Amino acid sequence: MIKERWQIGAFTVTKVVELERSSENGRPGSTLPDARPDLVKEIDWLHPHFVTDEGWLKTSIHALLVETPDIRLIVDTCAGNDKDRHLPQFNRLSTTFLDSLANLGWTRESVDAVLCTHLHVDHVGWNTMLVDGEWVPTFPRARYFFAEEEYRYWLASLECEAGLDGLTAETLDLMDNRAVFLDSVKPIVDAGLVAMVETDAVVAPGVSLMPTPGHTPGHVSIVLESEGERAIITGDMMHHPCQIARPQWSSGFDSHPHISEETRQTFLSQFVDSPTLVIGTHFTSPTAGWIVRDDTGYRLKF
Ligand SMILES: [Zn+2]
């Protein structure tokens, strides 16, 4: 397991990887259908950290462990073990993710809070674990923070036969959203561990949510501020650093691709040339950097 670490004032952020892969993009059905390998290769700063020689996108599924003087929290809980999924890359995983946490001194009981940027398959998996045939909260002492808007959206979509916003029942199953909700979200609600919050809530001193809708309606990014320093965890506001250079490339999995583009444009213009460290939720190493201008738009400096 690769891990990286950053210091933001008195806060420490550590990356724990569950899965990494590279795959050909630029096809319908892929994460970024507009990111054709020949177009990706035109963005030269992406190679070799974020793309392969072929112009394929490298991606990472990881959790970010945030330790502050007040709280120990995990941002996004990856895909999890033992879960039945249509998506083969997430089906019935058996990784050593929890051992990696424990090796860092993060036992399950030591976690105070869990934040999910949104409620997709690769962000809520370790919310629960399988014990004696039942899905139980992995972090029994933690409060799990869900944006209420996000939770309500999925709840309504799953209750409605035809889905909402064009999400057909078939799409919901194909993307595993129904199963994800039942095995990784509902058990947390049933256990009474959820704090439903607004998309701009302050969840702990120096830790707040920033609404970044588009990928999902209640999607949030996480703002960390300590001793005059600031970092932002992107969530899936952007899946890959290529979207810093090409913010118009939206994901095929965005519920509202035009809104997600708008969100990226606003974010980039707000934080360009600022000392804010941007930590990517699916970026491969070096994972974090600063938004700067270049000849054609924006890039990540790292
Ligand atoms: Zn994701």
Side-chain angles (χ1 to χ4, degrees), residues 64-264:
L64 294 163
L65 314 185
V66 181
E67 180 125 40
T68 84
D70 301 290
I71 197 172
R72 203 172 232 212
L73 70 100
I74 299 184
V75 177
D76 286 336
T77 60
C78 307
N81 275 4
D82 302 310
K83 298 195 163 167
D84 286 316
R85 301 289 185 247
H86 286 91
L87 298 171
Q89 66 267 36
F90 300 135
N91 188 40
R92 297 247 171 177
L93 292 181
S94 179
T95 72
T96 55
F97 180 81
L98 287 183
D99 295 334
S100 301
L101 293 193
N103 289 339
L104 292 167
W106 284 55
T107 60
R108 296 190 296 110
E109 291 76 17
S110 74
V111 175
D112 300 306
V114 173
L115 279 176
C116 297
T117 58
H118 62 299
L119 300 181
H120 272 170
V121 57
D122 51 328
H123 298 263
V124 300
W126 278 110
N127 282 2
T128 58
M129 56 191 282
L130 192 60
V131 177
D132 297 331
E134 298 214 14
W135 296 108
V136 301
T138 305
F139 307 103
R141 278 191 51 257
R143 291 190 86 194
Y144 288 67
F145 290 89
F146 299 158
E148 182 153 18
E149 185 178 355
E150 178 77 3
Y151 174 75
R152 299 266 163 234
Y153 171 76
W154 289 110
L155 187 64
S157 297
L158 296 165
E159 281 175 348
C160 175
E161 187 59 29
L164 294 179
D165 293 321
L167 282 173
T168 63
E170 196 180 7
T171 307
L172 288 167
D173 284 337
L174 200 63
M175 292 301 300
D176 293 314
N177 288 314
R178 192 186 304 271
V180 167
F181 192 88
L182 293 176
D183 64 32
S184 304
V185 175
K186 189 171 181 294
I188 303 301
V189 178
D190 293 346
L193 297 183
V194 173
M196 296 286 180
V197 292
E198 298 295 316
T199 54
D200 61 355
V202 176
V203 300
V207 182
S208 55
L209 309 184
M210 181 171 81
T212 45
H215 180 57
T216 59
H219 185 280
V220 294
S221 300
I222 315 298
V223 184
L224 306 174
E225 290 171 304
S226 173
E227 298 177 351
E229 295 184 9
R230 180 166 56 198
I232 296 181
I233 297 172
T234 59
D236 288 2
M237 164 183 54
M238 47 182 78
H239 285 79
H240 190 274
C242 71
Q243 292 169 288
I244 295 169
R246 304 284 185 268
Q248 69 274 26
W249 288 353
S250 287
S251 170
F253 303 135
D254 288 349
S255 60
H256 299 84
H258 293 296
I259 298 176
S260 94
E261 177 186 347
E262 221 174 87
T263 293
R264 275 188 299 283

Side-chain angles (χ1 to χ4, degrees), residues 3-14:
K3 66 171 192 285
E4 290 160 75
R5 182 166 286 170
W6 303 270
Q7 198 72 34
I8 296 103
F11 295 4
T12 307
V13 180
T14 306

